[in-house]
Amino acid sequence: MGNSLKAILAFVPSNDCQKYLLEDLEEMPVDKMVDLSSRQLRRLPLHICSFRKLVKLYLSDNNLNYLPPELEQLQNLQILALDFNNFKALPLVVCTLKQLCILYLGNNKLCSLPLELRLLQNLKTLWIESNCLQFLPEVVCELRLLKTLHAGSNALRTLPPQLRCLRELRTIWLSGNLLSEFPPVLLDMPFLEVIDVDRNSIWFFPSLAHLPGLKLVTYNHNPCRNAPKVAKGVRRVGRWSEESPEPRKRSGAVVEMMFDEKPSLPPAAKPEPE
């Protein structure tokens, strides 16, 4: 079916048209996964909410801006993908799905996250990249089991000090924000393994050599005058990394050494829960 025909049928509420869009998905698949990505959907078909043993639900790349309260029936759901839609606010029904481990909210129009998000205490991976966030919602700091946080391509200028409470956090992606300094709270998080602050406005990097868990730091495309110092074995991606020495000061002047920069991007593939 062509995308143009799908787009037209998405406006037609009749059951026949909706079944045509869903390719007659009437029973829950054996693998307990439903993938309705890129179907031009403007509403979630209610009969999907009757699949009470569903574990994975992918709704990426549609035209959704609302989810029905019946979604609460999916109490076994572990993965929910809502990225590339039109959500201006996270539907509160999502916060009732207490078994969620992975939640994709990237590429929407979110300016904040509800306090009810704290109910998702099993959440390990949260993607909120490419939204309209001017600050990282403090409720994120209450997700005690969070291991991966992708908050790139927003308008963040700082991070809340409460972030240090996330002792399970291992990876944080902050590329494409408005950070003018390296977030101080990250210096108090020795358990971090990957820090990405690519494409910000950071002028100076403090030493990261005291972070024993660090494995990779990406700081490309910042107007920095120094490379962050790291412990032996930690990979740096950015100016004056392992391949090039830092500039030497001569009579107070800094001589910058340019080289081909290859940005390190977050993984394209969506991970499965551990």
Side-chain angles (χ1 to χ4, degrees), residues 29-64:
V30 176
D31 60 4
K32 299 180 181 180
M33 180 186 77
V34 169
D35 188 351
L36 299 179
S37 301
S38 305
R39 302 292 184 93
Q40 302 289 336
L41 295 177
R42 294 180 178 272
R43 62 185 178 90
L44 177 65
L46 286 181
H47 79 276
I48 298 297
C49 300
S50 67
F51 299 165
R52 300 200 176 197
K53 294 184 179 181
L54 198 66
V55 173
K56 306 173 186 178
L57 178 57
Y58 296 92
L59 300 172
S60 307
D61 191 24
N62 281 294
N63 296 301
L64 300 172

Side-chain angles (χ1 to χ4, degrees), residues 98-137:
K98 296 183 180 180
Q99 296 304 314
L100 277 183
C101 296
I102 299 179
L103 179 58
Y104 298 107
L105 300 174
N107 290 274
N108 279 284
K109 302 174 183 177
L110 302 174
C111 294
S112 63
L113 294 173
L115 292 177
E116 289 80 357
L117 189 72
R118 61 166 64 109
L119 299 175
L120 302 182
Q121 285 299 308
N122 286 307
L123 206 62
K124 295 181 179 179
T125 298
L126 178 62
W127 286 42
I128 49 176
E129 80 286 1
S130 299
N131 275 285
C132 304
L133 298 170
Q134 296 184 9
F135 59 91
L136 184 68

Side-chain angles (χ1 to χ4, degrees), residues 14 16 49 77 89 91 117 123 145 152 191 202 209 220 222 240-241 269:
S14 72
D16 288 341
C49 300
L77 207 61
L117 189 72
L123 206 62
L145 296 183
F191 34 81
I202 300 173
N220 244 354
N222 279 281
W240 315 302
S241 60

Side-chain angles (χ1 to χ4, degrees), residues 168-226:
E168 297 299 321
L169 194 65
R170 297 295 181 266
T171 301
I172 185 165
W173 303 95
L174 298 167
S175 61
N177 277 288
L178 301 176
L179 300 172
S180 59
E181 67 171 346
F182 187 83
V185 66
L186 299 185
L187 300 176
D188 296 329
M189 301 177 70
F191 34 81
L192 284 174
E193 296 179 358
V194 177
I195 299 175
D196 175 21
V197 289
D198 184 37
R199 299 182 185 278
N200 277 277
S201 300
I202 300 173
W203 284 91
F204 174 79
F205 281 97
S207 174
L208 306 180
H210 66 289
L211 300 179
L214 195 61
K215 297 178 181 178
L216 169 67
V217 56
T218 301
Y219 60 97
N220 244 354
H221 306 99
N222 279 281
C224 55
R225 299 296 179 182
N226 72 309

